[in-house]
Amino acid sequence: MEPRMELINSVLAAMTALLAAEQLDKLQEVLCIKLHDFEVQPRSTEVMITDNSAEGMLNRFIATKRLEGTAETTIRLYSPYIMGLIRALGKPLYKVDTYDIRYYLSLYKQQRQVANRTLENMRKCFSSFFGWLSDEGLIGRNPCKAIKAIKYEKTVKKPFSPEERERLKNACTNLRDLALIEFLYASGCRVSEVVRLNISDIKFHSRDVVVLGKGGKERRIYLTEVATMHLANYLAQRRDDSPALFVSRHAPHGRMGKNGIEAVLRKLGEKTGIEKVHPHRYRRTLATNLVDRGAPIQDVQQILGHADIRTTQIYLYNNPQNIRYSYEKYSA
């Protein structure tokens, strides 16, 4: 039914109990005359986005990724990489083809002398963007589908050895730093997860914590007796009223951020002469130690909060001694 007639009928229905038949006929006549020159449309409660420019589509893509819980570190790569491509090609997105993207990547490498790893990160960004455009029906086909992953030399990221972990603990000059590094190892948390934790989140009796991970997903992590002891000692000597689990050592004792935690570990590395001391290496160390001691990789995946088990496999360091032991045990 035409929207104007729907409106008229709804008004008449609402007035039926109040007006006589002749009055209803008159009301209908007046409404028909008065509404003749108006366009009537039902109000839409949907958010309408009409910016179909390349920049507008990029903004919509980033908003979608943020809504899906994509890490901010990843989102920060999207805009400069994709915007650079859009401006360099200077054509509508639906006209971009596979050759355009290959040409842009080749030219980018030649002009900027970047490593293949950077190019692969760019390719992933483009693939995610054009894949989204295709799924949304904004372009006909994904031009990145035919572009294969760009190979690059992968460096082996080693975990801390037991001796290195001991040296780092001995280098701590205060209870906070000792509790911090023991917590990082025992929990396997991302530094962003540690930053958000409050004292009230710690369940000392059961030695576990519920953390908010990537994509807003909660997971339960566990603590060793040693980590719990150092954490309790640290909290017992605090005199501030901050709810944060880890705070700065100087007034006003604000919540430690990512940069603050990384700075503490960097100084410990400089003091001990151990290279590449950072929070993520403790996470890698826990994953490797758990698997080395017989933990199923599926359990390690849950502890680390990985959606894909292949990500967990990347974290693991294949100890040559373990490989030799397995060979000699199973080859005989």
Side-chain angles (χ1 to χ4, degrees), residues 119-139:
L119 289 182
E120 173 60 6
N121 288 336
M122 293 173 69
R123 184 199 68 81
K124 287 179 179 178
C125 287
F126 299 158
S127 181
S128 181
F129 178 53
F130 283 98
W132 175 82
L133 289 173
S134 178
D135 292 342
E136 293 288 312
L138 298 171
I139 61 173

Side-chain angles (χ1 to χ4, degrees), residues 49-224:
I49 301 176
T50 57
D51 185 359
N52 286 323
S53 65
E55 291 85 352
M57 291 183 186
L58 173 57
N59 289 335
R60 290 164 62 183
F61 166 71
I62 290 175
T64 301
K65 288 299 174 183
R66 189 167 277 123
L67 188 65
E68 292 173 353
T70 302
E72 283 298 320
T73 50
T74 303
I75 288 175
R76 281 196 291 270
L77 292 177
Y78 286 136
S79 190
Y81 283 161
I82 297 171
M83 204 64 232
L85 174 72
I86 290 171
R87 289 173 178 166
L89 296 182
K91 60 184 351 183
L93 293 175
Y94 68 88
K95 288 187 177 181
V96 175
D97 57 27
T98 303
Y99 174 81
D100 290 328
I101 296 174
R102 283 200 181 114
Y103 172 75
Y104 177 77
L105 288 171
S106 299
L107 194 63
Y108 193 94
K109 181 178 182 180
Q110 184 183 81
Q111 292 179 342
R112 308 213 181 185
Q113 298 295 304
V114 297
N116 276 8
R117 181 165 192 159
T118 300
L119 289 182
E120 173 60 6
N121 288 336
M122 293 173 69
R123 184 199 68 81
K124 287 179 179 178
C125 287
F126 299 158
S127 181
S128 181
F129 178 53
F130 283 98
W132 175 82
L133 289 173
S134 178
D135 292 342
E136 293 288 312
L138 298 171
I139 61 173
R141 59 182 294 275
N142 179 2
C144 289
K145 222 168 187 179
I147 301 178
K148 295 180 179 179
I150 299 169
K151 294 180 180 179
Y152 60 89
E153 186 175 342
K154 297 178 182 178
T155 56
V156 177
K157 297 180 179 179
K158 292 184 179 181
F160 291 119
S161 67
E163 185 262 344
E164 286 174 329
R165 280 188 57 217
E166 197 62 31
R167 283 166 56 193
L168 288 167
K169 284 194 287 185
N170 292 336
C172 292
T173 57
N174 59 79
L175 293 177
R176 186 204 62 183
D177 293 354
L178 183 57
L180 176 62
I181 64 174
E182 281 298 291
F183 185 89
L184 286 169
Y185 171 71
S187 67
C189 281
R190 301 175 179 92
V191 66
S192 59
E193 295 167 348
V194 176
V195 167
R196 287 193 290 264
L197 285 174
N198 290 326
I199 299 172
S200 59
D201 295 323
I202 308 298
K203 304 296 184 287
F204 283 93
H205 62 284
S206 55
R207 300 205 316 272
D208 61 8
V209 190
V210 174
V211 298
L212 188 66
K214 282 187 176 180
K217 296 178 181 176
E218 290 187 344
R219 77 177 188 283
R220 188 172 301 279
I221 56 101
Y222 307 94
L223 299 176
T224 61

Side-chain angles (χ1 to χ4, degrees), residues 182-310:
E182 281 298 291
F183 185 89
L184 286 169
Y185 171 71
S187 67
C189 281
R190 301 175 179 92
V191 66
S192 59
E193 295 167 348
V194 176
V195 167
R196 287 193 290 264
L197 285 174
N198 290 326
I199 299 172
S200 59
D201 295 323
I202 308 298
K203 304 296 184 287
F204 283 93
H205 62 284
S206 55
R207 300 205 316 272
D208 61 8
V209 190
V210 174
V211 298
L212 188 66
K214 282 187 176 180
K217 296 178 181 176
E218 290 187 344
R219 77 177 188 283
R220 188 172 301 279
I221 56 101
Y222 307 94
L223 299 176
T224 61
E225 290 184 4
V226 173
T228 306
M229 177 191 70
H230 288 305
L231 195 57
N233 290 341
Y234 161 59
L235 295 176
Q237 58 86 49
R238 274 181 45 184
R239 296 294 178 264
D240 60 88
D241 57 0
S242 172
L245 183 60
F246 292 104
V247 297
S248 61
R249 295 181 59 224
H250 305 289
H253 304 293
R255 182 185 297 270
M256 286 188 77
K258 177 176 179 289
N259 292 339
I261 293 175
E262 289 176 345
V264 168
L265 269 65
R266 187 165 55 250
K267 289 177 183 177
L268 288 174
E270 292 169 356
K271 189 174 181 180
T272 57
I274 300 172
E275 295 182 351
K276 299 179 180 178
V277 179
H278 51 80
H280 216 72
R281 194 171 175 188
Y282 275 103
R283 184 169 158 84
R284 187 180 299 279
T285 302
L286 175 67
T288 300
N289 288 351
L290 287 173
V291 171
D292 280 353
R293 294 165 188 172
I297 192 170
Q298 293 85 353
D299 291 347
V300 178
Q301 176 191 1
Q302 295 300 314
I303 291 169
L304 298 183
H306 288 154
D308 191 334
I309 198 167
R310 288 174 295 183

